[in-house]
Amino acid sequence: MAKKLYGKDIEPKCAYCAFGESTQDEKTVLCQKKGISEPDGACKKFKYDPLKRSPRKKPQLPEYCAEDFSL
């Protein structure tokens, strides 16, 4: 059995649905099935598209000085 990408419990959102396209201002989604909707909205036709999901930002690394590495 294949493991699903990003887990199996994905909350449906129009922002990463295969039928939705984000507008330039990213405040609305143009859906082929539902029409204009909000990015957090969802419908029965939701189909997950992992390529539309944006990755999380990398955490900022702490700053070190030379004294941190001396004995």
Side-chain angles (χ1 to χ4, degrees):
M1 181 182 230
K3 188 175 182 181
K4 289 192 174 186
L5 197 60
Y6 294 108
K8 61 181 176 179
D9 298 324
I10 298 170
E11 182 182 344
K13 288 187 179 181
C14 291
Y16 43 84
C17 178
F19 299 114
E21 286 293 324
S22 182
T23 57
Q24 283 185 336
D25 62 359
E26 295 182 2
K27 294 181 181 179
T28 57
V29 175
L30 301 174
C31 179
Q32 296 173 0
K33 304 290 182 177
K34 191 176 178 183
I36 299 173
S37 63
E38 297 179 13
D40 292 337
C43 67
K44 292 188 278 184
K45 300 288 185 177
F46 175 77
K47 183 177 178 186
Y48 181 61
D49 185 4
L51 298 177
K52 290 190 178 181
R53 204 158 192 180
S54 58
R56 294 181 182 149
K57 293 182 180 178
K58 292 182 181 179
Q60 188 173 3
L61 297 175
E63 296 291 325
Y64 293 108
C65 62
E67 293 176 3
D68 294 335
F69 298 102
S70 64
L71 296 175

